[in-house]
CSV table of all heavy atoms in Angstrom, one decimal:
chain,number,residue,atom,x,y,z
A,98,GLN,N,130.9,181.5,66.2
A,98,GLN,CA,132.1,181.6,67.0
A,98,GLN,C,131.9,182.6,68.1
A,98,GLN,O,130.9,183.4,68.0
A,98,GLN,CB,133.3,182.0,66.1
A,98,GLN,CG,133.2,183.4,65.5
A,98,GLN,CD,134.4,183.7,64.6
A,98,GLN,OE1,134.7,182.9,63.7
A,98,GLN,NE2,135.0,184.9,64.8
A,99,ALA,N,132.7,182.5,69.1
A,99,ALA,CA,132.6,183.5,70.2
A,99,ALA,C,133.2,184.8,69.8
A,99,ALA,O,134.2,184.9,69.1
A,99,ALA,CB,133.3,182.9,71.4
A,100,GLY,N,132.7,185.9,70.4
A,100,GLY,CA,133.2,187.2,70.1
A,100,GLY,C,134.4,187.5,71.0
A,100,GLY,O,134.5,187.0,72.2
A,101,GLN,N,135.3,188.2,70.5
A,101,GLN,CA,136.5,188.6,71.3
A,101,GLN,C,136.1,189.5,72.5
A,101,GLN,O,135.3,190.5,72.3
A,101,GLN,CB,137.5,189.4,70.5
A,101,GLN,CG,138.8,189.7,71.2
A,101,GLN,CD,139.8,190.5,70.3
A,101,GLN,OE1,139.5,190.7,69.2
A,101,GLN,NE2,140.9,190.8,70.9
A,102,PRO,N,136.5,189.2,73.7
A,102,PRO,CA,136.0,190.0,74.9
A,102,PRO,C,136.8,191.3,74.9
A,102,PRO,O,137.9,191.5,74.4
A,102,PRO,CB,136.4,189.1,76.1
A,102,PRO,CG,137.6,188.3,75.6
A,102,PRO,CD,137.3,188.0,74.1
A,103,PRO,N,136.2,192.3,75.6
A,103,PRO,CA,136.9,193.6,75.7
A,103,PRO,C,138.1,193.5,76.6
A,103,PRO,O,138.2,192.6,77.4
A,103,PRO,CB,135.8,194.5,76.4
A,103,PRO,CG,134.5,193.8,76.2
A,103,PRO,CD,134.8,192.4,76.1
A,104,HIS,N,139.0,194.5,76.4
A,104,HIS,CA,140.1,194.7,77.3
A,104,HIS,C,139.8,195.8,78.2
A,104,HIS,O,139.9,197.0,77.8
A,104,HIS,CB,141.4,194.9,76.6
A,104,HIS,CG,141.9,193.8,75.7
A,104,HIS,ND1,142.3,192.6,76.2
A,104,HIS,CD2,142.0,193.6,74.4
A,104,HIS,CE1,142.6,191.7,75.3
A,104,HIS,NE2,142.4,192.3,74.1
A,105,PHE,N,139.3,195.5,79.4
A,105,PHE,CA,138.8,196.6,80.3
A,105,PHE,C,140.0,197.3,81.0
A,105,PHE,O,141.0,196.7,81.4
A,105,PHE,CB,138.0,196.0,81.4
A,105,PHE,CG,136.7,195.4,80.9
A,105,PHE,CD1,136.4,194.0,81.1
A,105,PHE,CD2,135.7,196.2,80.4
A,105,PHE,CE1,135.2,193.5,80.7
A,105,PHE,CE2,134.5,195.6,79.9
A,105,PHE,CZ,134.3,194.3,80.1
A,106,THR,N,139.9,198.6,81.2
A,106,THR,CA,140.6,199.3,82.2
A,106,THR,C,139.9,199.0,83.5
A,106,THR,O,138.8,198.4,83.6
A,106,THR,CB,140.6,200.8,82.0
A,106,THR,OG1,139.3,201.3,82.1
A,106,THR,CG2,141.1,201.2,80.6
A,107,GLU,N,140.6,199.3,84.6
A,107,GLU,CA,140.0,199.0,86.0
A,107,GLU,C,138.7,199.8,86.1
A,107,GLU,O,137.7,199.2,86.6
A,107,GLU,CB,141.0,199.3,87.1
A,107,GLU,CG,141.9,198.2,87.4
A,107,GLU,CD,141.2,196.9,87.7
A,107,GLU,OE1,140.2,196.9,88.5
A,107,GLU,OE2,141.6,195.9,87.1
A,108,ALA,N,138.7,201.0,85.7
A,108,ALA,CA,137.5,201.8,85.8
A,108,ALA,C,136.3,201.2,84.9
A,108,ALA,O,135.2,201.2,85.3
A,108,ALA,CB,137.7,203.3,85.4
A,109,GLU,N,136.7,200.8,83.7
A,109,GLU,CA,135.7,200.2,82.8
A,109,GLU,C,135.2,198.9,83.4
A,109,GLU,O,134.0,198.6,83.2
A,109,GLU,CB,136.3,199.9,81.5
A,109,GLU,CG,136.5,201.2,80.6
A,109,GLU,CD,137.2,200.9,79.3
A,109,GLU,OE1,137.7,199.8,79.1
A,109,GLU,OE2,137.1,201.7,78.4
A,110,ARG,N,136.0,198.1,84.1
A,110,ARG,CA,135.5,196.9,84.7
A,110,ARG,C,134.4,197.1,85.7
A,110,ARG,O,133.4,196.4,85.7
A,110,ARG,CB,136.7,196.1,85.3
A,110,ARG,CG,136.4,194.7,85.7
A,110,ARG,CD,137.6,194.0,86.3
A,110,ARG,NE,138.7,194.1,85.5
A,110,ARG,CZ,139.0,193.3,84.5
A,110,ARG,NH1,138.1,192.3,84.2
A,110,ARG,NH2,140.0,193.4,83.7
A,111,VAL,N,134.6,198.1,86.5
A,111,VAL,CA,133.6,198.4,87.5
A,111,VAL,C,132.3,199.0,86.8
A,111,VAL,O,131.2,198.6,87.1
A,111,VAL,CB,134.1,199.5,88.5
A,111,VAL,CG1,133.0,200.0,89.4
A,111,VAL,CG2,135.3,198.9,89.3
A,112,LEU,N,132.5,199.8,85.8
A,112,LEU,CA,131.4,200.4,85.1
A,112,LEU,C,130.6,199.3,84.4
A,112,LEU,O,129.3,199.3,84.4
A,112,LEU,CB,131.9,201.4,84.1
A,112,LEU,CG,130.8,202.1,83.2
A,112,LEU,CD1,129.8,202.8,84.0
A,112,LEU,CD2,131.4,203.0,82.2
A,113,HIS,N,131.3,198.4,83.7
A,113,HIS,CA,130.6,197.3,83.0
A,113,HIS,C,129.8,196.4,83.9
A,113,HIS,O,128.7,196.0,83.6
A,113,HIS,CB,131.7,196.4,82.3
A,113,HIS,CG,131.1,195.4,81.3
A,113,HIS,ND1,130.8,194.1,81.7
A,113,HIS,CD2,130.6,195.5,80.1
A,113,HIS,CE1,130.3,193.5,80.7
A,113,HIS,NE2,130.2,194.3,79.7
A,114,GLU,N,130.3,196.2,85.1
A,114,GLU,CA,129.6,195.4,86.1
A,114,GLU,C,128.2,196.1,86.4
A,114,GLU,O,127.2,195.4,86.7
A,114,GLU,CB,130.4,195.1,87.3
A,114,GLU,CG,131.6,194.2,87.1
A,114,GLU,CD,132.5,194.0,88.3
A,114,GLU,OE1,132.2,194.8,89.3
A,114,GLU,OE2,133.4,193.2,88.3
A,115,GLN,N,128.3,197.4,86.4
A,115,GLN,CA,127.1,198.1,86.8
A,115,GLN,C,126.1,198.2,85.6
A,115,GLN,O,124.9,197.8,85.8
A,115,GLN,CB,127.4,199.6,87.2
A,115,GLN,CG,128.3,199.7,88.5
A,115,GLN,CD,128.8,201.1,88.7
A,115,GLN,OE1,128.8,201.9,87.8
A,115,GLN,NE2,129.4,201.3,89.9
A,116,VAL,N,126.6,198.6,84.4
A,116,VAL,CA,125.6,198.8,83.3
A,116,VAL,C,125.2,197.5,82.7
A,116,VAL,O,124.1,197.5,82.0
A,116,VAL,CB,126.2,199.7,82.3
A,116,VAL,CG1,126.6,201.1,82.9
A,116,VAL,CG2,127.5,199.1,81.6
A,117,ALA,N,125.9,196.4,82.8
A,117,ALA,CA,125.6,195.2,82.1
A,117,ALA,C,124.9,194.2,83.1
A,117,ALA,O,124.5,193.1,82.7
A,117,ALA,CB,126.8,194.5,81.5
A,118,ALA,N,124.6,194.7,84.3
A,118,ALA,CA,123.9,193.8,85.3
A,118,ALA,C,122.6,193.4,84.8
A,118,ALA,O,121.8,194.3,84.4
A,118,ALA,CB,123.8,194.5,86.6
A,119,GLY,N,122.3,192.1,84.7
A,119,GLY,CA,121.0,191.7,84.2
A,119,GLY,C,120.8,191.6,82.7
A,119,GLY,O,119.8,191.2,82.2
A,120,LEU,N,121.8,192.1,81.9
A,120,LEU,CA,121.7,192.0,80.5
A,120,LEU,C,121.9,190.5,80.0
A,120,LEU,O,122.9,189.9,80.3
A,120,LEU,CB,122.8,192.9,79.8
A,120,LEU,CG,122.9,192.9,78.3
A,120,LEU,CD1,121.6,193.5,77.7
A,120,LEU,CD2,124.1,193.7,77.8
A,121,GLU,N,120.8,190.1,79.3
A,121,GLU,CA,120.9,188.7,78.9
A,121,GLU,C,121.7,188.6,77.6
A,121,GLU,O,122.0,189.5,76.9
A,121,GLU,CB,119.4,188.2,78.5
A,121,GLU,CG,118.5,188.2,79.7
A,121,GLU,CD,117.1,187.8,79.3
A,121,GLU,OE1,116.9,187.3,78.2
A,121,GLU,OE2,116.2,188.0,80.1
A,122,SER,N,122.2,187.4,77.3
A,122,SER,CA,122.9,187.1,76.1
A,122,SER,C,121.9,187.1,74.9
A,122,SER,O,120.8,186.6,75.0
A,122,SER,CB,123.6,185.7,76.2
A,122,SER,OG,124.5,185.7,77.2
A,123,ALA,N,122.4,187.7,73.8
A,123,ALA,CA,121.6,187.8,72.6
A,123,ALA,C,121.6,186.4,71.9
A,123,ALA,O,122.6,185.8,71.7
A,123,ALA,CB,122.2,188.8,71.7
A,124,PRO,N,120.4,186.0,71.5
A,124,PRO,CA,120.3,184.7,70.7
A,124,PRO,C,121.0,185.0,69.3
A,124,PRO,O,121.0,186.1,68.8
A,124,PRO,CB,118.8,184.5,70.5
A,124,PRO,CG,118.2,185.3,71.5
A,124,PRO,CD,119.0,186.5,71.7
A,125,PRO,N,121.6,184.0,68.7
A,125,PRO,CA,122.2,184.2,67.4
A,125,PRO,C,121.1,184.5,66.4
A,125,PRO,O,119.9,184.1,66.6
A,125,PRO,CB,122.9,182.8,67.1
A,125,PRO,CG,122.2,181.9,68.0
A,125,PRO,CD,121.8,182.6,69.2
A,126,VAL,N,121.5,185.1,65.3
A,126,VAL,CA,120.5,185.5,64.2
A,126,VAL,C,121.3,185.4,62.9
A,126,VAL,O,122.5,185.5,62.8
A,126,VAL,CB,119.9,186.9,64.5
A,126,VAL,CG1,121.0,187.9,64.3
A,126,VAL,CG2,118.7,187.1,63.6
A,127,ARG,N,120.5,185.1,61.9
A,127,ARG,CA,121.1,185.0,60.5
A,127,ARG,C,121.7,186.4,60.1
A,127,ARG,O,121.2,187.5,60.6
A,127,ARG,CB,120.1,184.5,59.5
A,127,ARG,CG,119.1,185.6,59.2
A,127,ARG,CD,118.2,185.1,58.0
A,127,ARG,NE,117.4,186.2,57.4
A,127,ARG,CZ,116.2,186.6,57.8
A,127,ARG,NH1,115.6,186.0,58.8
A,127,ARG,NH2,115.6,187.6,57.2
A,128,VAL,N,122.7,186.4,59.2
A,128,VAL,CA,123.1,187.6,58.6
A,128,VAL,C,123.0,187.3,57.1
A,128,VAL,O,123.6,186.4,56.6
A,128,VAL,CB,124.6,188.0,58.9
A,128,VAL,CG1,125.1,189.2,58.1
A,128,VAL,CG2,124.7,188.3,60.4
A,129,ASP,N,122.2,188.1,56.4
A,129,ASP,CA,122.0,187.9,55.0
A,129,ASP,C,123.0,188.5,54.1
A,129,ASP,O,123.4,188.0,53.0
A,129,ASP,CB,120.6,188.4,54.6
A,129,ASP,CG,119.5,187.8,55.4
A,129,ASP,OD1,119.4,186.6,55.4
A,129,ASP,OD2,118.7,188.6,56.0
A,130,VAL,N,123.5,189.7,54.5
A,130,VAL,CA,124.4,190.5,53.7
A,130,VAL,C,125.6,190.9,54.6
A,130,VAL,O,125.4,191.6,55.6
A,130,VAL,CB,123.8,191.7,53.1
A,130,VAL,CG1,124.8,192.6,52.3
A,130,VAL,CG2,122.7,191.3,52.1
A,131,THR,N,126.8,190.5,54.2
A,131,THR,CA,128.0,191.0,54.9
A,131,THR,C,128.6,192.2,54.1
A,131,THR,O,128.7,192.2,52.9
A,131,THR,CB,129.0,189.9,55.1
A,131,THR,OG1,129.4,189.4,53.8
A,131,THR,CG2,128.5,188.8,56.0
A,132,VAL,N,129.0,193.2,54.9
A,132,VAL,CA,129.6,194.4,54.3
A,132,VAL,C,131.0,194.7,54.7
A,132,VAL,O,131.4,194.1,55.8
A,132,VAL,CB,128.7,195.6,54.6
A,132,VAL,CG1,127.3,195.5,53.9
A,132,VAL,CG2,128.5,195.8,56.1
A,133,VAL,N,131.7,195.5,54.0
A,133,VAL,CA,133.0,196.0,54.4
A,133,VAL,C,133.0,197.5,54.1
A,133,VAL,O,132.1,198.1,53.6
A,133,VAL,CB,134.1,195.2,53.5
A,133,VAL,CG1,134.2,193.8,53.9
A,133,VAL,CG2,133.9,195.5,52.0
A,134,ASP,N,134.1,198.1,54.5
A,134,ASP,CA,134.3,199.5,54.4
A,134,ASP,C,134.0,200.0,53.0
A,134,ASP,O,134.5,199.4,52.0
A,134,ASP,CB,135.7,199.9,54.8
A,134,ASP,CG,135.9,201.4,54.8
A,134,ASP,OD1,135.3,202.0,55.7
A,134,ASP,OD2,136.8,201.9,54.1
A,135,GLY,N,133.2,201.0,52.8
A,135,GLY,CA,132.9,201.7,51.6
A,135,GLY,C,131.7,201.1,50.8
A,135,GLY,O,131.3,201.7,49.8
A,136,ASP,N,131.1,200.0,51.3
A,136,ASP,CA,129.9,199.5,50.7
A,136,ASP,C,128.8,200.5,50.9
A,136,ASP,O,128.8,201.3,51.9
A,136,ASP,CB,129.5,198.2,51.3
A,136,ASP,CG,130.3,197.0,50.8
A,136,ASP,OD1,131.1,197.2,49.8
A,136,ASP,OD2,130.3,195.9,51.4
A,137,ILE,N,127.8,200.5,50.0
A,137,ILE,CA,126.7,201.4,50.0
A,137,ILE,C,125.4,200.6,50.3
A,137,ILE,O,125.1,199.7,49.5
A,137,ILE,CB,126.6,202.3,48.7
A,137,ILE,CG1,127.9,203.0,48.4
A,137,ILE,CG2,125.4,203.2,48.8
A,137,ILE,CD1,128.3,204.1,49.4
A,138,LEU,N,124.6,201.0,51.3
A,138,LEU,CA,123.3,200.4,51.5
A,138,LEU,C,122.3,201.4,50.9
A,138,LEU,O,122.4,202.6,51.1
A,138,LEU,CB,123.1,200.2,53.0
A,138,LEU,CG,124.1,199.3,53.7
A,138,LEU,CD1,123.8,199.2,55.2
A,138,LEU,CD2,124.1,197.9,53.1
A,139,GLU,N,121.2,200.8,50.4
A,139,GLU,CA,120.3,201.6,49.6
A,139,GLU,C,119.1,202.1,50.6
A,139,GLU,O,118.0,201.6,50.5
A,139,GLU,CB,119.7,200.8,48.5
A,139,GLU,CG,120.8,200.5,47.4
A,139,GLU,CD,120.2,199.7,46.2
A,139,GLU,OE1,119.0,199.5,46.2
A,139,GLU,OE2,121.0,199.4,45.3
A,140,PHE,N,119.5,203.0,51.4
A,140,PHE,CA,118.5,203.7,52.2
A,140,PHE,C,119.1,205.1,52.4
A,140,PHE,O,120.3,205.3,52.4
A,140,PHE,CB,118.1,203.0,53.5
A,140,PHE,CG,119.1,203.1,54.6
A,140,PHE,CD1,119.0,204.1,55.6
A,140,PHE,CD2,120.1,202.2,54.7
A,140,PHE,CE1,119.9,204.2,56.6
A,140,PHE,CE2,121.0,202.2,55.8
A,140,PHE,CZ,120.9,203.2,56.7
A,141,GLY,N,118.2,206.1,52.7
A,141,GLY,CA,118.7,207.4,53.0
A,141,GLY,C,119.4,208.1,51.9
A,141,GLY,O,120.3,208.9,52.2
A,142,GLY,N,119.1,207.7,50.7
A,142,GLY,CA,119.9,208.3,49.6
A,142,GLY,C,121.2,207.7,49.4
A,142,GLY,O,122.1,208.3,48.6
A,143,GLY,N,121.5,206.6,50.0
A,143,GLY,CA,122.8,205.9,49.9
A,143,GLY,C,123.6,206.1,51.3
A,143,GLY,O,124.0,207.2,51.6
A,144,ALA,N,123.6,205.0,52.0
A,144,ALA,CA,124.3,205.0,53.3
A,144,ALA,C,125.6,204.3,53.2
A,144,ALA,O,125.7,203.1,52.8
A,144,ALA,CB,123.4,204.2,54.4
A,145,THR,N,126.7,205.0,53.4
A,145,THR,CA,128.1,204.5,53.2
A,145,THR,C,128.4,203.7,54.5
A,145,THR,O,128.3,204.3,55.6
A,145,THR,CB,129.1,205.6,53.0
A,145,THR,OG1,128.7,206.3,51.8
A,145,THR,CG2,130.5,205.0,52.8
A,146,VAL,N,128.9,202.5,54.4
A,146,VAL,CA,129.4,201.7,55.5
A,146,VAL,C,130.9,202.2,55.8
A,146,VAL,O,131.7,202.2,54.9
A,146,VAL,CB,129.4,200.2,55.2
A,146,VAL,CG1,130.1,199.4,56.3
A,146,VAL,CG2,128.0,199.7,54.9
A,147,VAL,N,131.1,202.6,57.0
A,147,VAL,CA,132.4,203.0,57.4
A,147,VAL,C,132.9,202.0,58.5
A,147,VAL,O,132.4,201.8,59.5
A,147,VAL,CB,132.4,204.4,58.1
A,147,VAL,CG1,133.8,204.9,58.4
A,147,VAL,CG2,131.8,205.4,57.1
A,148,SER,N,134.0,201.3,58.1
A,148,SER,CA,134.6,200.3,59.1
A,148,SER,C,135.2,201.0,60.2
A,148,SER,O,136.1,201.9,60.0
A,148,SER,CB,135.6,199.4,58.3
A,148,SER,OG,136.1,198.5,59.2
A,149,THR,N,134.9,200.7,61.4
A,149,THR,CA,135.4,201.4,62.6
A,149,THR,C,135.9,200.3,63.6
A,149,THR,O,135.3,200.2,64.7
A,149,THR,CB,134.3,202.3,63.3
A,149,THR,OG1,133.2,201.5,63.5
A,149,THR,CG2,134.0,203.4,62.3
A,150,PRO,N,136.9,199.6,63.3
A,150,PRO,CA,137.4,198.5,64.2
A,150,PRO,C,138.0,199.1,65.5
A,150,PRO,O,138.4,200.3,65.6
A,150,PRO,CB,138.5,197.8,63.4
A,150,PRO,CG,139.0,198.9,62.5
A,150,PRO,CD,137.8,199.7,62.1
A,151,GLY,N,137.9,198.3,66.5
A,151,GLY,CA,138.5,198.7,67.8
A,151,GLY,C,137.5,198.4,69.0
A,151,GLY,O,137.9,197.9,70.0
A,152,HIS,N,136.2,198.7,68.8
A,152,HIS,CA,135.2,198.3,69.8
A,152,HIS,C,135.0,196.8,69.6
A,152,HIS,O,135.1,196.1,70.6
A,152,HIS,CB,133.9,199.1,69.6
A,152,HIS,CG,132.9,198.9,70.6
A,152,HIS,ND1,133.1,199.2,71.9
A,152,HIS,CD2,131.7,198.3,70.6
A,152,HIS,CE1,132.1,198.9,72.7
A,152,HIS,NE2,131.2,198.3,71.9
A,153,THR,N,134.7,196.4,68.4
A,153,THR,CA,134.9,195.0,68.0
A,153,THR,C,135.6,195.0,66.6
A,153,THR,O,135.7,196.1,66.0
A,153,THR,CB,133.5,194.3,67.8
A,153,THR,OG1,132.8,194.9,66.7
A,153,THR,CG2,132.7,194.3,69.1
A,154,ASP,N,136.1,193.9,66.2
A,154,ASP,CA,136.8,193.9,64.9
A,154,ASP,C,135.9,194.4,63.7
A,154,ASP,O,136.3,195.0,62.8
A,154,ASP,CB,137.3,192.5,64.6
A,154,ASP,CG,138.6,192.2,65.4
A,154,ASP,OD1,139.1,193.1,66.1
A,154,ASP,OD2,138.9,191.0,65.4
A,155,GLY,N,134.6,194.0,63.8
A,155,GLY,CA,133.7,194.3,62.7
A,155,GLY,C,132.7,195.4,63.1
A,155,GLY,O,131.6,195.5,62.5
Side-chain angles (χ1 to χ4, degrees):
Q98 65 184 51
Q101 184 180 0
H104 295 293
F105 294 118
T106 65
E107 274 308 309
E109 286 178 344
R110 190 179 306 280
V111 173
L112 178 62
H113 187 265
E114 289 174 356
Q115 295 171 348
V116 301
L120 179 62
E121 298 177 13
S122 298
V126 68
R127 73 174 196 267
V128 176
D129 302 305
V130 174
T131 57
V132 292
V133 294
D134 187 62
D136 284 347
I137 305 295
L138 301 178
E139 294 184 1
F140 76 93
T145 301
V146 174
V147 184
S148 181
T149 53
H152 188 64
T153 67
D154 286 348

